[in-house]
């Protein structure tokens, strides 16, 4: 069938093969009312976080019959690519279409970016699905790796990094295809 790009569905509790919505199951679904598609999601410190291309939402377990509740956390702060979000020290950081954002508790904030031109003027917008975020918990940093227009290959060749303790950005050219924080 045709998949609805703004619908979140979940299966019955304890039976991941049962998607039948009835009074006998906890299976269900919810249609996010804004945006044109769901871009990504992540497990946040207190609830699940979902992004459309324009907004960010909280998905929280509320028990049957509703099972999950959905609350808008912010608008004009959608996720630019499926893997462009990361959690560091209970704060969620992500790259939006034209800015960087954080969610600390239940408040979305824009992170002032001193290197905005390096990132958003040179970002290859045809390859946003390749952008990904990584955390470096040892140094209190979150990094966003992205393909640049100046690189011209369509592959990740640049980064911008934010130090959460100092509140400063740095940037550079660096080809990366994976990142794992210390465990």
């Amino acid at each position: 069938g045709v998949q609805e790009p703004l619908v979140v569905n979940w299966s019955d509790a304890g039976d991941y093969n049962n998607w039948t919505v009835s009074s006998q199951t906890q299976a269900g679904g919810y249609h996010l009312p804004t945006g044109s598609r769901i871009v990504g999601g992540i497990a946040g410190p207190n609830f699940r976080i979902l992004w459309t291309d324009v907004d960010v939402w909280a998905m929280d377990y509320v028990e049957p019959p509703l099972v999950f509740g959905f609350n808008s956390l912010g608008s004009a702060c959608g996720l630019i690519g499926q893997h462009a979000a990361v959690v560091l020290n209970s704060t969620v950081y992500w790259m939006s279409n034209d800015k960087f954002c954080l969610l600390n508790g239940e408040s979305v904030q824009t992170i002032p970016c001193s290197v905005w031109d390096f990132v958003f003027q040179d970002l290859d917008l045809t390859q946003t699905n390749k952008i990904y975020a990584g955390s470096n918990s040892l140094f209190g940093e979150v990094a966003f790796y992205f393909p640049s227009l100046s690189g011209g290959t369509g592959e990740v060749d640049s980064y911008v990094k934010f130090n959460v303790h100092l509140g400063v950005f740095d940037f550079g050219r660096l080809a990366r295809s994976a990142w794992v924080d210390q465990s």
Side-chain angles (χ1 to χ4, degrees):
V2 177
Q3 187 174 8
E4 167 59 50
L6 285 171
V7 170
V8 178
N9 290 315
W10 55 89
S11 65
D12 188 20
D15 184 357
Y16 304 116
N17 294 313
N18 185 357
W19 295 79
T20 304
V21 179
S22 75
S23 62
Q24 305 302 309
T25 71
Q26 289 190 38
Y30 182 77
H31 182 273
L32 297 175
T34 58
S36 61
R37 65 186 174 92
I38 296 171
V39 177
I42 196 168
N46 299 318
F47 41 78
R48 303 299 180 252
I49 301 163
L50 300 173
W51 287 272
T52 68
D53 50 340
V54 295
D55 296 333
V56 61
W57 292 80
M59 177 180 170
D60 200 13
Y61 184 74
V62 294
E63 298 182 9
L66 299 176
V67 185
F68 288 101
F70 293 82
N71 295 306
S72 175
L73 298 175
S75 59
C77 58
L79 191 64
I80 195 166
Q82 180 179 359
H83 302 290
V86 67
V87 178
L88 177 66
N89 299 331
S90 300
T91 300
V92 181
Y93 298 87
W94 71 93
M95 185 175 179
S96 190
N97 293 313
D98 61 354
K99 60 188 165 194
F100 296 97
C101 302
L102 67 84
L103 175 64
N104 192 351
E106 294 184 14
S107 173
V108 173
Q109 301 169 23
T110 299
I111 305 170
C113 182
S114 59
V115 297
W116 189 93
D117 288 349
F118 175 82
V119 180
F120 293 101
Q121 294 288 327
D122 196 28
L123 178 62
D124 185 346
L125 294 174
T126 66
Q127 302 295 330
T128 57
N129 61 317
K130 295 180 181 177
I131 297 170
Y132 67 96
S135 63
N136 185 342
S137 56
L138 186 62
F139 294 98
E141 297 173 335
V142 292
F144 301 90
Y145 299 93
F146 63 94
S148 70
L149 290 172
S150 58
T153 65
E155 298 302 323
V156 172
D157 61 1
S158 300
Y159 73 91
V160 61
K161 191 171 40 170
F162 179 66
N163 184 301
V164 302
H165 302 303
L166 302 175
V168 296
F169 280 91
D170 73 81
F171 62 93
R173 304 288 181 200
L174 181 64
R176 281 278 187 252
S177 59
W179 177 266
V180 177
D181 197 3
Q182 69 179 14
S183 60

